[in-house]
Amino acid sequence: AQRVTQPEKLLSVFKGAPVELKCNYSYSGSPELFWYVQYSRQRLQLLLRHISRESIKGFTADLNKGETSFHLKKPFAQEEDSAMYYCALSGHSGNTGKLIFGQGTTLQVKP
Amino acid sequence: DAGITQSPRHKVTETGTPVTLRCHQTENHRYMYWYRQDPGHGLRLIHYSYGVKDTDKGEVSDGYSVSRSKTEDFLLTLESATSSQTSVYFCASATASGANVLTFGAGSRLTVL
């Protein structure tokens, strides 16, 4: 079965501290993985996808097939990073938009 | 950011009543989706559409139906609302070539008493 697990419901850090939002997936093939973010009073939007290997707003995420993980990292958190973050998987459904989302992690960056 | 508009944004209804949520997009996206967002479950796919009159079931489709008579409109209907359908509903759209890059609406919060 395909599954995405985000083990932390809430992650609270101080401004300037490193951040790592964990995401583990269950899928036997070659996955396509995403991080979506929902800032307060804004719409859910794509933050980054593993195939583009971009750094967006200072965030990076590396696909580790051995550990089946796609953790989201940022070296120095900013208050504006406070949001709900969802990891999502496109498995055997391919390029269809039928994503499997994790439970979400709320990141709280304290001043 | 008015590419996707959902209506109503908030609705309170009683168990057993029918409810229709509307999604209207001006992106000319071929693909459209309805997801529901619940604490502890993240977002789960209810129904999706790959074009006019082309719809199919997602992961949690029981108790829901959809219709897509025009490219820009995707309706989600709860024939007889139940308390378990209290949720936030998100409409999303995407191009056929980049279907996994979803553009989301603002969400519709439905409370079933």
Side-chain angles (χ1 to χ4, degrees):
Chain A
Q2 300 174 97
R3 186 164 52 231
V4 175
T5 303
Q6 294 178 249
E8 302 137 330
K9 192 173 177 179
L10 171 67
L11 183 63
S12 185
V13 302
F14 285 101
K15 177 182 173 182
V19 170
E20 181 178 68
L21 294 144
K22 293 188 180 347
C23 172
N24 289 91
Y25 66 90
S26 173
Y27 177 61
S28 57
S30 291
E32 188 176 1
L33 284 147
F34 308 82
W35 277 98
Y36 278 81
V37 60
Q38 187 174 26
Y39 301 103
S40 178
R41 288 183 287 278
Q42 292 189 30
R43 299 179 183 210
L44 196 63
Q45 59 187 286
L46 178 68
L47 179 63
L48 57 80
R49 54 195 304 192
H50 88 273
I51 60 171
S52 61
R53 302 185 67 82
E54 294 174 298
S55 171
I56 306 292
K57 298 185 179 184
F59 284 99
T60 59
D62 290 318
L63 176 61
N64 186 322
K65 290 187 178 181
E67 295 184 358
T68 60
S69 67
F70 187 57
H71 303 328
L72 184 67
K73 300 177 184 179
K74 186 170 183 177
F76 308 104
Q78 303 299 314
E79 289 181 71
E80 56 265 31
D81 296 328
S82 295
M84 171 72 91
Y85 291 80
Y86 288 101
C87 182
L89 163 73
S90 171
H92 61 65
S93 60
N95 181 38
T96 62
K98 292 162 61 180
L99 300 181
I100 296 167
F101 285 84
Q103 303 92 323
T105 298
T106 299
L107 174 64
Q108 183 183 73
V109 182
K110 296 178 285 189
Chain B
D1 201 19
I4 298 184
T5 304
Q6 292 184 228
S7 60
R9 293 289 316 282
H10 301 274
K11 186 171 181 67
V12 179
T13 192
E14 293 190 350
T15 298
T17 59
V19 175
T20 294
L21 304 180
R22 180 174 182 254
C23 179
H24 178 79
Q25 56 110 349
T26 58
E27 307 281 345
N28 200 30
H29 286 169
R30 185 173 151 196
Y31 292 1
M32 295 187 76
Y33 312 83
W34 278 105
Y35 283 87
R36 59 178 288 176
Q37 180 189 45
D38 301 289
H41 292 278
L43 279 81
R44 293 177 292 175
L45 182 63
I46 306 170
H47 278 280
Y48 59 98
S49 168
Y50 290 156
V52 173
K53 292 184 168 46
D54 182 5
T55 65
D56 208 343
K57 297 178 179 180
E59 178 190 357
V60 289
S61 60
D62 287 349
Y64 302 95
S65 63
V66 290
S67 66
R68 187 142 178 231
S69 59
K70 295 188 288 185
T71 298
E72 56 267 34
D73 292 328
F74 193 32
L75 303 181
L76 177 71
T77 297
L78 292 66
E79 300 290 348
S80 178
T82 67
S83 58
S84 65
Q85 293 175 312
T86 292
S87 187
V88 180
Y89 292 86
F90 285 97
C91 177
S93 69
T95 63
S97 60
N100 290 332
V101 180
L102 299 175
T103 299
F104 281 91
S108 294
R109 181 175 296 276
L110 175 67
T111 302
V112 184
L113 302 175

